[in-house]
Amino acid sequence: MKKIIRSTNDLLLAVLMGGLSIFLLLSKKIITGVENGLGGMWAQASTYIHLLAGILLAMAILQLIYAIDLRGAAEHKKLCIPVSREIAITAAALVLYALLLPVLTFFPCTLALNIVLCATFARKENEGNEEAEAKKMTKKQFGVIVLYSVILTIVLWLLFTQILKCVLP
């Protein structure tokens, strides 16, 4: 079996993407048939979910084709899942965001998420910079991160509430 699998990571990714896309395509939990009289099928949220699920399924098939080596000429790469501090912080921040969003509303949760993610990846960027003293974030850099996060949160709020007319928590 190992001879036909080029990369176990690619195979696992293809299976997970395919499973998620099939779930989204076949799920009865997706709301369909909302009669609003405007826009036809393009006004339905389910149209976009099914469209994205179809694209995800196509990508999963391409990933599966890439993961399988029918000639058996490629060397097998074992499963290797890299877990870094940045991945853990990002995952924890997104879970907390999803849990706290209904309670604390959009603006404070999104602002905090933006600050945490920007600071996390700025610190990671500082690790590669030899000029940064002791790999720490400066007050100026943190100020820029906060300013950027505030502007980004305002732009997202304006985009969703004013342009797309979405109701945010």
Side-chain angles (χ1 to χ4, degrees):
M1 184 72 170
K2 284 185 177 181
K3 290 183 180 180
I4 64 168
I5 297 174
R6 181 179 306 171
S7 170
T8 308
N9 280 11
D10 292 333
L11 180 65
L12 179 63
L13 180 61
V15 169
L16 291 174
M17 286 179 9
L20 177 62
S21 64
I22 289 171
F23 169 76
L24 289 173
L25 287 170
L26 300 178
S27 177
K28 301 294 181 202
K29 301 286 183 184
I30 298 172
I31 299 171
T32 58
V34 177
E35 298 297 328
N36 58 9
L38 300 172
M41 72 173 218
W42 296 108
Q44 302 291 326
S46 62
T47 301
Y48 297 103
I49 293 172
H50 289 138
L51 180 66
L52 290 172
I55 292 169
L56 187 63
L57 184 59
M59 296 300 290
I61 292 168
L62 291 174
Q63 189 73 35
L64 184 63
I65 291 169
Y66 179 76
I68 295 175
D69 181 27
L70 297 175
R71 290 178 280 166
E75 186 177 329
H76 173 72
K77 293 180 188 171
K78 294 182 180 179
L79 183 65
C80 175
I81 301 174
V83 178
S84 66
R85 181 182 301 154
E86 291 77 22
I87 293 172
I89 291 172
T90 302
L94 289 172
V95 168
L96 282 173
Y97 180 76
L99 292 174
L100 294 175
L101 187 63
V103 178
L104 299 178
T105 69
F106 175 80
F107 200 85
C109 281
T110 305
L111 180 61
L113 178 71
N114 287 336
I115 291 171
V116 167
L117 293 180
C118 288
T120 299
F121 291 104
R123 189 188 56 74
K124 175 71 173 172
E125 191 66 27
N126 284 348
E127 288 177 3
N129 187 358
E130 295 158 357
E131 295 175 3
E133 62 179 65
K135 313 287 188 231
K136 292 184 180 178
M137 193 177 313
T138 63
K139 288 182 181 180
K140 180 182 177 185
Q141 191 177 20
F142 188 72
V144 169
I145 287 171
V146 170
L147 179 64
Y148 170 77
S149 297
V150 168
I151 292 170
L152 178 62
T153 304
I154 291 171
V155 167
L156 288 171
W157 181 81
L158 288 172
L159 174 71
F160 284 110
T161 60
Q162 304 304 312
I163 297 172
L164 297 174
K165 304 293 184 200
C166 295
V167 177
L168 297 175

